[in-house]
Amino acid sequence: MKEESNLQRKRIDPEIFLTFDDGPNEPYTSQILDILKNFGAKASFFVCGRCVEYSPDVVQRILNEGHSIGNHSYSHSMVLTFMGFLKREIEKTDNIIQKITGVRTNLFRSPWGMTTPWIKSYLKKNKYKIVSWDINSYDWAGVSARTIEDGILKKIKSGSVVLLHDGKEAKFHRNRSQTVLALPPLLENLISRGFICKNISL
């Protein structure tokens, strides 16, 4: 009974998952990695194949520093996404990631979170893990760093998956400075409240 009571009193730190879409996109992805490293936090990066080809060293750094990589299509095409024609984009991006890093990811997030039944069937058949989110930071909408931070902190709970962006729709050199600015105070607050920022396992 005493042993059971001690186990019940043992503190369990709540886990949360920060995710970054549409990159890598320099210099912002590297800045985000620097901040995560400083705070000892882990995250998951859902990368676009086109951007991986452009910044292969950054993708390798993501993995080297203990973060996870997910497939976010090759071109982030709205037409292909909404028509459900992502199979070739998924396979192409997987091959690019594997060629550069030696790792084959089974994590997938569709652009805009839009996954048609046909693509869902394909992903299930090929043993992909579809990763959604429950907290949208709205950093993609150009809001301020303070708005990004406050919006996340109002909704955060154990097990939350937070949607952030280090890039924009597989384009290069898109401004994500507000996301970068929001990250240090956000992490400081989360860690002070006992949250552990983990990556999503492959």
Side-chain angles (χ1 to χ4, degrees):
M1 290 294 293
K2 185 177 181 181
E3 183 179 351
E4 183 179 345
S5 178
N6 287 338
L7 287 171
Q8 288 172 343
R9 285 198 299 267
K10 185 178 179 182
R11 182 168 175 264
I12 300 174
D13 293 318
E15 299 174 349
I16 59 167
F17 305 90
L18 302 180
T19 66
F20 296 88
D21 284 12
D22 297 4
N25 172 48
E26 289 295 86
Y28 305 103
T29 304
S30 288
Q31 291 171 2
I32 288 167
L33 288 169
D34 290 341
I35 294 166
L36 292 170
K37 188 174 183 179
N38 288 341
F39 281 89
K42 302 301 179 189
S44 302
F45 291 78
F46 289 86
V47 299
C48 295
R50 182 170 179 262
C51 297
V52 174
E53 289 177 322
Y54 192 77
S55 302
D57 55 328
V58 180
V59 178
Q60 190 62 63
R61 181 186 171 190
I62 290 170
L63 287 170
N64 288 347
E65 296 187 0
H67 309 290
S68 55
I69 291 276
N71 188 323
H72 197 46
S73 83
Y74 180 81
S75 66
H76 207 287
S77 165
M78 182 175 287
V79 172
L80 294 177
T81 300
F82 282 83
M83 294 295 290
F85 298 146
L86 285 177
K87 179 177 178 288
R88 287 184 65 184
E89 291 236 328
I90 294 167
E91 292 174 348
K92 185 175 182 179
T93 299
D94 268 351
N95 290 335
I96 292 167
I97 293 170
Q98 189 164 16
K99 183 178 179 180
I100 290 169
T101 67
V103 171
R104 188 194 181 282
T105 181
N106 69 338
L107 303 178
F108 178 76
R109 175 178 285 165
S110 184
W112 297 282
M114 173 68 184
T115 311
T116 63
W118 187 85
I119 288 297
K120 281 183 180 177
S121 177
Y122 164 80
L123 294 167
K124 183 178 180 181
K125 180 181 177 181
N126 288 277
K127 298 182 171 30
Y128 286 91
K129 183 188 297 184
I130 301 173
V131 181
S132 188
W133 62 87
D134 63 295
I135 297 179
N136 188 341
S137 70
Y138 293 98
D139 60 344
W140 52 268
V143 298
S144 69
R146 185 60 184 269
T147 300
I148 294 168
E149 179 191 355
D150 289 348
I152 294 170
L153 293 176
K154 283 177 184 176
K155 298 179 180 179
I156 201 74
K157 63 183 184 298
S158 182
S160 282
V161 179
V162 182
L163 174 65
L164 293 151
H165 294 79
D166 58 327
K168 182 178 180 180
E169 299 174 10
K171 296 169 182 161
F172 306 135
H173 310 301
R174 297 297 163 145
N175 190 335
R176 287 298 179 213
S177 58
Q178 293 306 302
T179 301
V180 173
L181 287 171
L183 206 49
L186 173 65
L187 286 168
E188 187 173 357
N189 187 298
L190 291 171
I191 291 168
S192 72
R193 291 163 61 181
F195 287 104
I196 296 176
C197 300
K198 299 190 71 175
N199 62 1
I200 298 168
S201 60
L202 298 178

